[in-house]
Amino acid sequence: MSARPLHAVLLPPGGPGWPLARLLPAALDGTGPAIMPLDGGLPPARLAALLDALRPGAVQTPGQAERDDPRWRPRQAGPGVEPDIAVVVVTSGSTGQPKGVQLSAAALIASARASVRRIGAGPGARWLACLPAFHIAGLQVLVRSLLAGTEPAPCGQLDPAAVAAHPGAFVSVVPTQLRRLTEAGADLSALAAILLGGAAVPPGLLDAAAAAGGRVVTTYGLSETCGGCVYDGVPLDGVRARIGADGRIRIAGPVLFSGYRLRPEETARAFDDGWFVTSDLGSAGPGGVLEVRGRADDMINTGGAKVAAAAVEAALASCPGVAEVAVIGVPDEEWGQLVTAIVVPADPGRPPELAQLRSHVRDRLGGKAAPRQLRLVASLPLLATGKPDREALRALG
């Protein structure tokens, strides 16, 4: 069969990009081109670099077949995609280099069906679209809406009023969004269910959401697994998860991606006997429930010891005076890397001190994990998805 054309789609900046829903049906049923949603608000140089790396055959917007401006074209169009590929999701992973994750229509639909079965979102279910559709979590909201036969409700500014305006709706959020909802006093009982993923869940957030009436389902997944594929530590129907000898989580099942665009060698390295090898470390908790311990590439090598940044972040999140926190490793000649805490203080006038943070972490994780540096910031740099921007964090360190 001949290759299928791939069109990049520039989505409006500052919102979830829900108009992509108008192009998605043809991408899924094969009557239109495969689509590669991109953030239309990216700086021109960054957007040009993405287009040159991934080389779509055309660039369009949801309301325009093709952009005539030559600045929005890759210098050289690449080949099409395999006929079963419906969407290419762009992710930078941990390296900052753009990768095109090729997702088949079958994988996207299998993921969406398994998700709605697990949470009871049947025909007619309404979804709030408050995550960018150029990322997998936002895109899957659109796929689930198609299966339900409903229009997604654009809700880029998710706040208590938006929640109240859509009683009985389902929503997918990241921890930052859920925390802001609870702090704003939203009545989360108005929502049928809240899918929570994309980043580690801070201590106390689930309790706060439950106190506000929320039914929260924690999710784990990646672009390569069509988004969340493990709910509350239990794989969705048809999905299998296990921990390899290296401690990394491996995923198998119908939700897996079909490879990275124009990167056959990297695609081959991503699989081990049919299992997708993630960059996340995990363990089996009580009853075999999957527990995610953080990214393998977020391990900090300090003084000969390996410290999980995610574990230190979780410990510091419960420290008095800390509103938000991220942890990175900063190069150091003596220690190799210094555990560095980047903290948003709860009270800028009385920020926590390094000695306080060190004592708090030492009591919970031991001395090696205690931060040796502290950076105070007004806010953490975030990606469009609401996840911490690791590249920007390293620049702060």
Side-chain angles (χ1 to χ4, degrees), residues 230-241:
V230 178
Y231 282 18
D232 287 334
V234 179
L236 294 176
D237 294 347
V239 176
R240 293 171 289 155

Side-chain angles (χ1 to χ4, degrees), residues 113-133:
R113 284 177 174 163
S115 171
V116 299
R117 281 198 301 266
R118 180 66 61 88
I119 63 176
R126 191 78 187 276
W127 286 83
L128 304 186
C130 61
L131 291 171

Side-chain angles (χ1 to χ4, degrees), residues 44-240:
R46 174 63 174 163
L47 185 57
L50 285 176
L51 294 173
D52 284 341
L54 298 170
R55 299 164 57 195
V59 182
Q60 64 184 81
T61 68
Q64 185 177 358
E66 187 171 346
R67 295 187 71 137
D68 297 326
D69 191 329
R71 293 176 301 173
W72 305 114
R73 296 176 182 270
R75 284 175 290 187
Q76 180 182 6
V81 295
E82 293 296 318
D84 64 332
I85 301 300
V87 179
V88 176
V89 172
V90 178
T91 177
S92 62
S94 60
T95 64
Q97 297 300 314
K99 293 189 294 186
V101 179
Q102 300 179 128
L103 302 173
S104 69
L108 286 164
I109 292 171
S111 171
R113 284 177 174 163
S115 171
V116 299
R117 281 198 301 266
R118 180 66 61 88
I119 63 176
R126 191 78 187 276
W127 286 83
L128 304 186
C130 61
L131 291 171
F134 46 82
H135 289 289
I136 188 61
L139 178 72
Q140 277 292 44
V141 166
L142 307 186
V143 179
R144 296 180 195 124
S145 294
L146 281 175
L147 292 183
T150 59
E151 286 278 338
C155 203
Q157 190 63 36
L158 187 62
D159 56 22
V163 170
H166 299 91
F170 294 80
V171 67
S172 181
V173 298
V174 296
T176 299
Q177 291 171 308
L178 182 58
R179 178 180 59 79
R180 289 173 180 169
L181 281 175
T182 59
E183 291 177 349
D187 178 12
L188 301 183
S189 67
L191 297 171
I194 302 167
L195 297 184
L196 179 65
V201 180
L205 180 57
L206 294 180
D207 289 340
R215 176 198 171 197
V216 179
V217 179
T218 61
T219 71
Y220 167 74
L222 308 95
S223 298
E224 290 88 344
T225 62
C226 289
C229 62
V230 178
Y231 282 18
D232 287 334
V234 179
L236 294 176
D237 294 347
V239 176
R240 293 171 289 155

